[in-house]
Amino acid sequence: MDRVHRQDGVDLLTRTVAPGVALGGLIIGIGLALKGPLDGLSHSEEAVNKDLAADRTGTWNTITAVWSQIGNTAGVIAVCIVVSSLLLWRTRDLRLAFVAPIAIAMQGLIFLIAAKVVDRDRPQVEKLDASPPTASYPSGHTGASTGLYVAFALLALGIDRPWLRWTTVILCLAMPLLVAFSRLYRGMHHVTDVGAGFLNGAICALLAYAWYRHSTRTRTRTPRR
């Protein structure tokens, strides 16, 4: 197993954390705009929540309750630990095993800060879940599931067998979509909330994966001593 070196930490700060700070600023800026000059959009998009609430059925209430749990914090962390541990065991590559944890940690920090700063109210419809203490924007469930499963999808691109590679990628990319729909259906978020969650999770996953790819290329070019 290759050791993680000081340069890996430096690269993580410059190639992942620093762009992540800029991403956080962008997400906060969008959220504040939705409460300010784009306030009209905030009101108009509630029509989506009202339409979904009007068409609720017992079956879909149950299905979306299950889908919503895919993005639950405890579930995301548990899946991340299990899969990352398996990746480390199979590949002995510590950097590869760090990709998903870095992605969800970054998106989680951005989510917490943005939710606190923007403090957006949840949609004005009946909610099927107990409201978490965090605000509506951005969607934490969507961000967490996107960060985790997009990271897995990117790592799955390295699978040799094409059928297994693309099956894994498609399943991973479907997970955040199920979570996003369930959060809208259950009245917990606006459309722009889940959109910001997608943006947060996907960019964090890409940044974490780019760090891994850069460190891999650096190790390949640097001769062992």
Side-chain angles (χ1 to χ4, degrees), residues 13 18 25 32 43 53 70 96 116 122 135 139 145 160 168 185 204:
L13 289 174
L32 293 175
H43 291 294
I70 296 173
L96 183 146
K116 183 69 174 178
R122 296 187 184 274
S139 170
S145 59
D160 291 331
T168 304
Y185 177 92
C204 287

Side-chain angles (χ1 to χ4, degrees), residues 98-179:
F98 276 171
V99 171
I102 290 171
I104 64 170
M106 279 185 52
Q107 72 77 31
L109 183 59
I110 291 171
F111 156 70
L112 289 173
I113 295 173
K116 183 69 174 178
V117 172
V118 177
D119 194 26
R120 188 187 195 188
D121 292 333
R122 296 187 184 274
Q124 299 300 307
V125 296
E126 180 185 359
K127 298 165 184 60
L128 298 183
D129 294 329
S131 297
T134 50
S136 183
Y137 177 95
S139 170
H141 281 66
T142 305
S145 59
T146 301
L148 180 67
Y149 288 103
V150 169
F152 288 162
L154 291 168
L155 295 178
L157 294 175
I159 297 175
D160 291 331
R161 296 179 180 179
W163 70 268
L164 181 58
R165 179 197 314 140
W166 293 114
T167 299
T168 304
V169 168
I170 291 170
L171 289 175
C172 286
L173 295 181
M175 292 296 186
L177 297 176
L178 301 181
V179 173

Side-chain angles (χ1 to χ4, degrees), residues 8 10-27 95 98-107 110 146-147 150-151 154-155 198-215 217:
D8 293 312
V10 173
D11 290 338
L12 182 64
L13 289 174
T14 57
R15 293 177 174 273
T16 306
V17 176
V21 171
L23 172 63
L26 173 64
I27 289 175
R95 295 170 184 82
F98 276 171
V99 171
I102 290 171
I104 64 170
M106 279 185 52
Q107 72 77 31
I110 291 171
T146 301
V150 169
L154 291 168
L155 295 178
F198 281 133
L199 178 66
N200 185 18
I203 297 300
C204 287
L206 287 168
L207 289 173
Y209 182 71
W211 166 78
Y212 163 70
R213 293 291 295 171
H214 173 77
S215 65
R217 289 193 297 269

Side-chain angles (χ1 to χ4, degrees), residues 6 8 19 42 49 61 64 75 94 96 109 111 121 143 156 160-162 191-193 224:
R6 182 168 178 262
D8 293 312
S42 297
N49 298 98
N61 290 353
T64 57
L94 192 59
L96 183 146
L109 183 59
F111 156 70
D121 292 333
D160 291 331
R161 296 179 180 179
V191 173
T192 46
D193 297 338
R224 295 177 180 266

Side-chain angles (χ1 to χ4, degrees), residues 69-85:
Q69 291 305 308
I70 296 173
N72 182 275
T73 300
V76 166
I77 292 174
V79 172
C80 181
I81 290 173
V82 170
V83 176
S84 296
S85 298

